Amino acid sequence: MLAFVLPLSGMVPAAVVPACAQSVVTLYVTDPLTGIGIYGWDPVSYFTEPEPLRGRPQFEYVWNNVAWHFATAANRDIFKSAPEIYAPQFGGHGAMGVARGYVSDSDPQFYAVFKQRLYLFYSAAGREAFLQAPDEAAIAAEARWPELAKGLSIN
């Protein structure tokens, strides 16, 4: 993206200065105000409940420099024992975006648990596209993720 900024201070002659928009995307999807992983949703609850639950601050665990909230102490302890199983794939970024070769945010309310892994999506349409051919989408995303992840900040 290219924008132009005109300096407006004092007697400086006006000049056109290109300004580049820079996006900082983190390895894990977090709430931009609190830094809590997947906006405070309990990642274990996606596996154990009919619908995911909001986490609570008193059941917090920091993993990979990200604070994660859990609905119960038991869920926190389950996550501690195997975070790579319960944490969302691709850091919680939209799985179909990753499969298509780009990083997108996700909405934790659009999800699928496939082959005992949690996949989040940007939209219901992304989830539906994934569910049309989940094996192919998961394989494509797994293949593209290492390269995409290189450009993301840790926190």
Side-chain angles (χ1 to χ4, degrees):
M1 176 180 204
L2 188 61
F4 293 99
V5 179
L6 298 174
L8 299 175
S9 60
M11 299 298 285
V12 177
V16 177
V17 180
C20 296
Q22 186 173 1
S23 172
V24 176
V25 179
T26 58
L27 189 59
Y28 293 96
V29 172
T30 59
D31 181 301
L33 299 177
T34 65
I36 304 301
I38 60 173
Y39 299 95
W41 289 86
D42 175 346
V44 174
S45 70
Y46 287 87
F47 296 86
T48 61
E49 303 296 328
E51 295 291 325
L53 303 173
R54 298 289 302 187
R56 299 166 59 187
Q58 64 264 42
F59 304 121
E60 181 176 289
Y61 177 65
V62 176
W63 176 69
N64 282 354
N65 295 323
V66 174
W68 302 82
H69 284 181
F70 301 89
T72 66
N75 281 8
R76 180 196 57 212
D77 295 343
I78 290 168
F79 185 87
K80 277 184 180 181
S81 70
E84 62 284 344
I85 290 175
Y86 295 101
Q89 298 298 290
F90 321 119
H93 293 284
M96 280 311 295
V98 174
R100 293 171 176 156
Y102 62 89
V103 176
S104 70
D105 206 354
S106 66
D107 181 335
Q109 295 180 78
F110 298 118
Y111 67 94
V113 175
F114 175 69
K115 293 188 175 181
Q116 296 302 308
R117 293 295 185 260
L118 174 60
Y119 296 88
L120 300 179
F121 304 94
Y122 177 78
S123 66
R127 178 180 56 205
E128 294 309 312
F130 179 89
L131 293 174
Q132 292 289 320
D135 283 310
E136 291 83 357
I139 290 168
E142 287 289 340
R144 290 188 168 109
W145 179 243
E147 191 62 33
L148 292 172
K150 287 180 185 177
L152 305 177
S153 70
I154 292 178
N155 212 347

